[in-house]
Amino acid sequence: LDSLLQEMKLKNAHTFNLACQGSIYTHTLIHLVDGSTKLLVATLNRELFCYDLSMTHLARPCGCVVVPQTKQLQFTYLPNGSEIISIDAFNKSTDTNDFVIGVTIVKISETESCTQYVNIYSDWQPGAQNIDDSESEHSCLSLELDFVPYQLGHVNLGSHTFWRLGGSDNKIHVFSEDESIQSYVELEEEETLAEFAETLPCVPLFTDQFAEYGVRTTATVCENGYLVVSKVDEERNEILQTWNRNFAGPLTGVAFIRPQPSLGKPREFMSKLLKSGSNDESKSGSFPLSLAVGYSLNESMVFNDLEKNGLNDCKTLQSSFDYDCVTSLWVADLTFEGRPTIMLGTYGQELLGYTQNPETSEWLLAWHMPVSAPILGIRYADLTGDGVKEVIVITATGVQVLQHNLESVKEIALTRLHKLISQIESTS
């Protein structure tokens, strides 16, 4: 494992242990105004934990050490006998830490009847610098649901943020804050976001979204193998185009492969840096948007260039079914070359990494590494606050954080700075 991590230019930063496991929906990230990120993880027995890693500098050859920090968060309105199903969080403000956290729960009574709620926690005290500030107080709004909740997420539209929640009634429900009554209300069918207005053929398991130039692209995968992708005009809230496709079994994850900037042309980069181009100029240089989809009954897939091919150009991720069912996926640029890596987490306790062959457009298994338990989620975020993101693997027994080799990152940064300086000197 150590030699594999060295080849990947990653290292084990820390492993957080969990006494009780969560689910594929009980983890999320929240970004603070100081640029740091915290990981929130909930367990089925109503415990919520906040994790981060701080870099402490020392007067020794290694320069710094990673200091793990764990704190259990105290939330109200989580009654005995209830289980946490999903969580999500965001920061409402760009100037202060105005946290909003959503938690869905299911409560089973003594008569074995179920009631479902979504609790929305907000209004931390102004003096609260961190979400784990034990002295801070917050308010809770609890909404009863008439369906079993699944994935909880949010949609940013201008200055407003909507909650989206998949349900057992085959719908994705959208909730909006109504400041006049200081509450959240579910949007009616004629008011909701256009791509969520129609009832789906089965329970929606996962949704991912990508917005650019006023167009929001949304992909949803369902329990019966149904995949739907919609393009929406954000200003008019109208569907521009829809693609759908059916598979034989549950689809277990979805993630857009987002456009990556070109890092091999310093002249082009500098021209964009030194002048403010219009949206049309930027749009003409954008990269194709593709989609990765996890599949429970066979190999997972990538749909290349949705705009050009829709869901017709399907490439399988070879060997992705060799390690049991894929339970989660994430897309990130792990090499700092503008080329994304598709990371798949499996129930068979393996983390798989796929990269694309630029000549054939095929996605190849570049590496795979074992972990200690079935994987429930993958994230890529800067937990240490050093400006470099870490690979975060959430398993049934804990959280494993993989950190980039900082010496390699430094070499890449210096090489690119030298290229940019040379480019500036040659044009001055």
Side-chain angles (χ1 to χ4, degrees):
L1 179 58
D2 290 338
S3 60
L4 175 61
L5 289 173
Q6 185 175 4
E7 182 182 342
M8 296 163 56
K9 297 183 178 179
L10 294 170
K11 66 177 183 178
N12 270 310
H14 190 70
T15 299
F16 300 97
N17 294 319
L18 285 171
C20 178
Q21 78 171 61
S23 76
I24 54 177
Y25 300 132
T26 54
H27 50 83
T28 189
L29 299 169
I30 190 164
H31 305 284
L32 280 63
V33 292
D34 62 3
S36 61
T37 303
K38 293 182 182 291
L39 174 69
L40 305 182
V41 178
T43 63
L44 296 178
N45 63 348
R46 308 186 312 281
E47 293 182 331
L48 286 92
F49 296 93
C50 179
Y51 300 110
D52 66 4
L53 299 169
S54 62
M55 300 291 288
T56 300
H57 296 273
L58 301 174
R60 45 192 269 187
C62 66
C64 60
V65 294
V66 174
V67 180
Q69 299 181 13
T70 304
K71 191 161 189 179
Q72 184 173 352
L73 304 181
Q74 302 298 327
F75 286 124
T76 55
Y77 300 103
L78 296 177
N80 291 332
S82 64
E83 291 186 357
I84 295 177
I85 303 301
S86 54
I87 66 172
D88 190 42
F90 59 87
N91 194 346
K92 287 175 62 176
S93 174
T94 57
D95 303 319
T96 61
N97 289 325
D98 191 1
F99 312 118
V100 184
I101 300 176
V103 179
T104 67
I105 61 174
V106 171
K107 186 178 185 302
I108 302 177
S109 67
E110 295 180 356
T111 61
E112 297 188 355
S113 62
C114 290
T115 51
Q116 304 84 221
Y117 301 89
V118 55
N119 293 346
I120 301 174
Y121 302 91
S122 61
D123 298 329
W124 263 255
Q125 289 182 346
Q129 297 301 313
N130 285 303
I131 195 170
D132 54 358
D133 189 343
S134 60
E135 300 300 324
S136 65
E137 297 180 359
H138 52 266
S139 64
C140 175
L141 174 67
S142 187
L143 304 176
E144 187 171 356
L145 307 172
D146 58 3
F147 55 88
V148 176
Y150 281 72
Q151 185 194 30
L152 178 65
H154 62 275
V155 183
N156 295 317
L157 186 57
S159 60
H160 197 76
T161 302
F162 299 89
W163 291 104
R164 57 169 169 79
L165 177 59
S168 58
D169 56 355
N170 301 351
K171 295 181 180 180
I172 295 180
H173 302 260
V174 179
F175 297 85
S176 175
E177 184 177 15
D178 188 338
E179 295 183 353
S180 64
I181 59 175
Q182 297 184 339
S183 181
Y184 281 84
V185 295
E186 182 176 354
L187 299 182
E188 299 296 333
E189 184 176 322
E190 61 274 7
E191 299 175 333
T192 192
L193 301 182
E195 64 268 46
F196 302 138
E198 299 293 331
T199 300
L200 295 163
C202 196
V203 174
L205 297 181
F206 286 96
T207 295
D208 193 26
Q209 295 179 299
F210 178 76
E212 187 178 50
Y213 311 119
V215 175
R216 182 176 64 252
T217 307
T218 301
T220 297
V221 294
C222 296
E223 195 174 42
N224 68 341
Y226 180 72
L227 165 65
V228 58
V229 181
S230 302
K231 288 178 59 180
V232 177
D233 184 308
E234 291 188 305
E235 183 177 357
R236 299 197 305 257
N237 194 30
E238 294 180 359
I239 293 181
L240 303 175
Q241 195 167 7
T242 299
W243 305 279
N244 59 70
R245 190 163 170 175
N246 289 285
F247 295 89
L251 300 176
T252 56
V254 62
F256 284 106
I257 304 173
R258 293 166 169 84
Q260 299 290 323
S262 173
L263 301 176
K265 300 179 180 179
R267 184 180 299 274
E268 179 183 349
F269 172 80
M270 288 304 299
S271 65
K272 291 182 178 180
L273 181 66
L274 297 176
K275 72 175 183 179
S276 56
S278 65
N279 283 346
D280 291 339
E281 290 174 342
S282 300
K283 189 173 182 178
S284 64
S286 63
F287 287 68
L289 186 64
S290 301
L291 187 70
V293 176
Y295 192 18
S296 63
L297 298 185
N298 211 322
E299 293 173 334
S300 297
M301 304 155 284
V302 174
F303 297 91
N304 289 316
D305 197 345
L306 296 172
E307 182 68 29
K308 177 182 177 182
N309 305 309
L311 298 177
N312 295 319
D313 185 7
C314 178
K315 305 291 185 182
T316 58
L317 298 176
Q318 298 295 327
S319 302
S320 59
F321 196 57
D322 293 351
Y323 304 93
D324 211 327
C325 175
V326 168
T327 55
S328 57
L329 60 87
W330 198 265
V331 178
D333 177 14
L334 299 184
T335 61
F336 306 106
E337 296 176 349
R339 292 165 44 191
T341 297
I342 301 174
M343 292 180 285
L344 303 180
T346 73
Y347 191 80
Q349 304 178 204
E350 288 281 338
L351 178 66
L352 316 179
Y354 288 83
T355 57
Q356 189 175 32
N357 185 323
E359 297 180 357
T360 64
S361 297
E362 296 290 330
W363 289 87
L364 305 175
L365 180 61
W367 49 265
H368 64 92
M369 62 169 287
V371 295
S372 59
I375 296 175
L376 301 179
I378 308 169
R379 299 280 176 160
Y380 189 59
D382 182 13
L383 288 187
T384 57
D386 63 355
V388 182
K389 295 180 179 180
E390 290 82 40
V391 178
I392 306 164
V393 183
I394 301 98
T395 73
T397 59
V399 177
Q400 185 172 355
V401 182
L402 304 176
Q403 186 180 27
H404 287 281
N405 185 314
L406 296 184
E407 285 298 320
S408 298
V409 175
K410 183 178 73 173
E411 292 175 6
I412 293 171
L414 289 174
T415 299
R416 291 179 182 168
L417 282 173
H418 290 153
K419 285 184 179 181
L420 293 177
I421 291 171
S422 300
Q423 182 63 38
I424 293 173
E425 291 176 344
S426 66
T427 56
S428 60

